[in-house]
Amino acid sequence: MAKKLTKIITAWVPKDSKVIDFGCGDGSLLKELMKTKKILGYGVEINNKKIEECIAKGVPVIKQDIDKGLHEFESSNFDVSIMARSIQCLKDPSLALNRMLKLSKRCVVTLPNLGYWKCRINLASGKMPVTPELPSSWYETENIHLCTIEDFESLCKKERIKIKDKVFLNSRGKQSTLVSMSPNLLATEGVYLLEKE
Amino acid sequence: MDSRFGRKFQDDDSKVDQDVDFEVENYLQYKGEKFSEVFDANTYILMTKAMDGYDAAGKLNGLENALEGVTAELLIIGFYSDWLYPPQRGKEIQIAAMNNNIKSSYVVLEGEHGHDSFLFHNDQYSEIISKFIQS
């Protein structure tokens, strides 16, 4: 799944652009973008071990809780901001989206889809969903704002955020016509390219 | 400060001076006496003033201008317990570096020794510096 996500995001990032990746993890995505698109990239991460991994890879990184202080980066004129699989962990996803679009023209967001049919079966049987994309139990998960594909798109509409492009992935991390026809039910992950209207 | 001293009283047997009540007072008294043996007091006052008055931006009208033309990659490290150069100042340098498109990283670490933390060994501190140099 990570490889496919990297491929989709790479296609949306212009060459030689300035990119910030919120919740960058070990810096793999930025490293790939630095290699293939010659970007100037910065990661934002809170976990010290992951920060060390970024530094070892030569990926510039900033230690920061992404729930706080996104606005501090507004003066840096980024071309693209990325938030891969992190938005559902934030206290205020709507504010974060708007702030990302203030600090860059384009914004890439990926999120797990709670509307995926296996999640619905879990919920219908009275249990919180545990799937390969949402592997943690309710008492361990960092996901505090899970949503469905439809929920996310409604938020974009409400906040006047333009969905410039989108890709839906199935449980094997692949695109298919079937998933594109009914993403809210069949996609495990949504990948969005956003712009401010 | 709280974890190291708090409002703990100094026990009578290890007081450096009978007028001392608190542990923090005892520590400062002890350090002060040690310093006065190896350091000229007036020089120390002057150095303290120089440190307090240090401004990375200098007369260059802001940090951004001060960093213009830097071609090196930067690693900015701060310690949560540092009151002299608190982490937020490091963040300001990081943002000024980003505004100048300089490859730079900013890390804040735990450290029990306040501003002196950068002088003490800390596994994570060593690890980050060595990985930065090797990368």
Side-chain angles (χ1 to χ4, degrees), chain A residues 18 20 34 40 42 48-49 51-52 55-64 72-73 75-76 78, chain B residues 75 80 88 91 94-95 97-109 124 127-128 131-132 135:
Chain A
K18 190 170 173 182
I20 188 159
M34 285 161 76
L40 171 62
Y42 299 90
N48 283 336
K49 268 279 155 236
I51 286 172
E52 272 182 37
I55 289 174
K57 286 188 174 91
V59 171
V61 63
I62 301 138
K63 179 165 180 175
Q64 171 139 341
E72 288 180 294
F73 303 111
S75 58
S76 293
F78 286 98
Chain B
L75 172 63
Y80 289 113
Q88 187 54 31
K91 171 76 83 55
Q94 171 67 22
I95 289 172
M98 287 161 77
N99 292 352
N100 275 297
N101 295 339
I102 298 166
K103 278 183 86 177
S104 54
S105 289
Y106 162 74
V107 185
V108 197
L109 301 172
Q124 200 161 39
E127 211 40 40
I128 283 174
K131 282 180 176 159
F132 177 72
S135 72

Side-chain angles (χ1 to χ4, degrees), chain A residues 114 119 122-123 125-131 136-138 141 143 146:
Chain A
L114 193 69
C119 297
N122 277 186
L123 283 167
S125 65
K127 289 191 167 184
M128 279 298 284
V130 178
T131 64
S136 305
S137 301
W138 67 272
T141 185
N143 302 327
L146 283 166

Side-chain angles (χ1 to χ4, degrees), chain B residues 12-131:
Chain B
D12 286 339
D13 297 339
S14 50
K15 277 185 180 175
V16 293
D17 189 307
Q18 282 317 300
D19 293 337
V20 159
D21 294 316
F22 296 98
E23 271 190 15
V24 63
E25 225 180 333
N26 200 62
Y27 170 81
L28 290 171
Q29 188 74 20
Y30 171 77
K31 281 286 181 192
E33 275 168 24
K34 278 274 175 203
F35 263 134
S36 67
E37 288 166 18
V38 292
F39 238 92
D40 171 55
N42 288 320
T43 307
Y44 197 69
I45 291 170
L46 203 64
M47 279 180 66
T48 307
K49 276 185 177 292
M51 272 177 12
D52 289 347
Y54 174 70
D55 180 0
K59 291 174 183 161
L60 294 166
N61 198 22
L63 270 174
E64 244 177 271
N65 290 334
L67 290 176
E68 216 177 56
V70 170
T71 53
E73 288 184 26
L74 307 182
L75 172 63
I76 301 149
I77 300 180
F79 291 92
Y80 289 113
S81 59
D82 186 349
W83 293 2
L84 191 59
Y85 296 127
Q88 187 54 31
R89 299 284 93 85
K91 171 76 83 55
E92 285 165 16
I93 297 173
Q94 171 67 22
I95 289 172
M98 287 161 77
N99 292 352
N100 275 297
N101 295 339
I102 298 166
K103 278 183 86 177
S104 54
S105 289
Y106 162 74
V107 185
V108 197
L109 301 172
E110 301 292 341
E112 295 168 10
H113 305 281
H115 179 64
D116 286 351
S117 296
F118 79 98
L119 297 170
F120 287 83
H121 177 77
N122 166 327
D123 286 343
Q124 200 161 39
Y125 182 38
S126 311
E127 211 40 40
I128 283 174
I129 292 176
S130 95
K131 282 180 176 159

Side-chain angles (χ1 to χ4, degrees), chain A residues 7 13 38 43 46 51 69 74 99 105 133 155 175 187:
Chain A
K7 204 174 161 193
V13 172
K38 310 279 176 231
I46 190 75
I51 286 172
E74 277 172 19
R99 287 207 162 138
K105 288 167 246 160
E133 292 71 35
L155 175 67
Q175 292 169 255

